[in-house]
Amino acid sequence: MTATTRTGWLFVLPFVVVFLIGIVAPVVYALFLSLFRTTFVGGEQFVGFENYMYVFTDPSFWGGIGRVVAFMLVQIPLMLGIGLLAALAIDSGRLHLSGMWRILLFLPYAVPGVVAVLIWGFVYGPRYGLVGTMNDALGMDLLIPLSPQWVLAAIANIVTWSFAGYNMLIFYSALRTIPEELYEAASLDGAGAIRTIFAVKIPALRGALVITSMFSVIGSFQLFNEPNLLRPLAPNVITSDFTPTLYAYNLSFAGQQYNLSATVAIVLGIITAVIAYTVQLRGMRAEQR
């Protein structure tokens, strides 16, 4: 090994150590747990892939996956659309006090996720919250956000409120990197503001759209804080298996089924990685056309 190679390894060694301890070791341990099952009679026994066969036929797991997919198909386009429109409006230069709007839109992202859910929980509360007060004043239940029909929309509202500004900032940063020559060329071709958006700005944002879409897909499959904190307000609607992460958490810490919980986590991680990679691959192909 040459001196240059040794120096290179010394630079990457801290990262390799942290990566092995923080990323690889928990995954390997979860894989190890998923191959065992604890029984009252025989204790912990090696069962091979039996836990995986159980998860693949478990209606609770697939019910949670179905809710997350339904949530994702509506919430992600809505959130990215709001972020994109806000970024285009701020970048246009025609918006008064654009700096103030940029800060106001980003501000919800600075609020800790738990606090954000608590704030909206007080709004959604059917007895003491803003919605409950309005329904009492009207003498009828005009809207019940935590009912079975509206609970996914209520959670999507919290996530959109928290992350629309974050995505707006990514889009706005990408817009600021567009060369001025492209705007001058579009102007010489007679392009107006709308034509410039669709011919210059939107194509330049494809890379940012791919990244934000991929992050949003991963975040959707990790949905946990919102249903877990809202659950005491609607225990019959937000069940212990409402999302896959909530299901894995309750299997482990409430049901003491660590092996099954590890299996759910491994399967969920694989599904998330496959879908996120597919989104990235399709986005990159569209960008290269």
Side-chain angles (χ1 to χ4, degrees):
M1 183 180 292
T2 64
T4 305
T5 305
R6 282 196 298 273
T7 305
W9 274 109
L10 283 175
F11 274 107
V12 301
L13 188 60
F15 166 76
V16 172
V17 171
V18 172
F19 181 77
L20 290 175
I21 294 175
I23 305 295
V24 176
V27 173
V28 171
Y29 185 58
L31 280 169
F32 173 77
L33 286 177
S34 70
L35 301 177
F36 289 83
R37 181 177 297 165
T38 303
T39 60
F40 287 110
V41 179
E44 193 160 301
Q45 295 179 345
F46 179 78
V47 294
F49 292 101
E50 282 187 19
N51 288 331
Y52 289 92
M53 297 302 294
Y54 178 84
V55 169
F56 284 135
T57 57
D58 185 5
S60 294
F61 176 73
W62 291 110
I65 291 286
R67 287 186 201 93
V68 167
V69 170
F71 170 87
M72 195 172 63
L73 291 176
V74 176
Q75 191 271 334
I76 292 179
L78 181 66
M79 177 182 65
L80 297 186
I82 293 172
L84 179 61
L85 285 174
L88 289 170
I90 293 171
D91 183 68
S92 69
R94 299 181 181 182
L95 193 66
H96 294 292
L97 303 173
S98 60
M100 182 195 73
W101 287 113
R102 195 165 62 238
I103 293 172
L104 286 177
L105 286 167
F106 184 73
L107 200 57
Y109 180 71
V111 177
V114 173
V115 176
V117 180
L118 292 175
I119 291 171
W120 282 100
F122 284 119
V123 174
Y124 293 157
R127 294 180 181 175
Y128 53 83
L130 178 62
V131 170
T133 304
M134 289 175 61
N135 287 339
D136 288 342
L138 294 172
M140 58 185 293
D141 291 336
L142 188 63
L143 178 65
I144 306 176
L146 299 180
S147 62
Q149 296 80 9
W150 290 102
V151 67
L152 271 180
I155 293 174
N157 177 57
I158 299 173
V159 177
T160 303
W161 180 81
S162 298
F163 289 95
Y166 167 80
N167 290 295
M168 175 275 297
L169 205 60
I170 294 176
F171 294 141
Y172 179 72
S173 301
L175 286 170
R176 303 308 295 172
T177 64
I178 298 175
E180 196 63 33
E181 291 79 7
L182 288 179
Y183 291 121
E184 293 174 1
S187 178
L188 288 174
D189 287 342
I194 301 298
R195 178 83 182 276
T196 301
I197 288 174
F198 286 98
V200 177
K201 295 186 177 183
I202 298 293
L205 286 175
R206 280 177 182 161
L209 283 166
V210 171
I211 293 294
T212 51
S213 298
M214 191 177 66
F215 286 165
S216 300
V217 167
I218 295 171
S220 296
F221 278 103
Q222 294 175 341
L223 196 63
F224 177 79
N225 278 345
E226 291 79 3
N228 190 43
L229 292 172
L230 291 175
R231 195 177 168 206
L233 298 177
N236 296 325
V237 177
I238 304 175
T239 55
S240 61
D241 57 355
F242 192 76
T243 64
T245 50
L246 195 61
Y247 184 42
Y249 173 83
N250 284 303
L251 279 175
S252 179
F253 294 102
Q256 305 295 313
Q257 300 185 62
Y258 306 110
N259 306 103
L260 202 55
S261 174
T263 311
V264 169
I266 293 293
V267 175
L268 178 62
I270 292 171
I271 293 173
T272 305
V274 169
I275 294 179
Y277 179 72
T278 304
V279 170
Q280 184 189 19
L281 196 64
R282 290 181 64 85
M284 288 174 66
R285 284 178 180 171
E287 191 176 3
Q288 290 169 356
R289 287 174 189 166

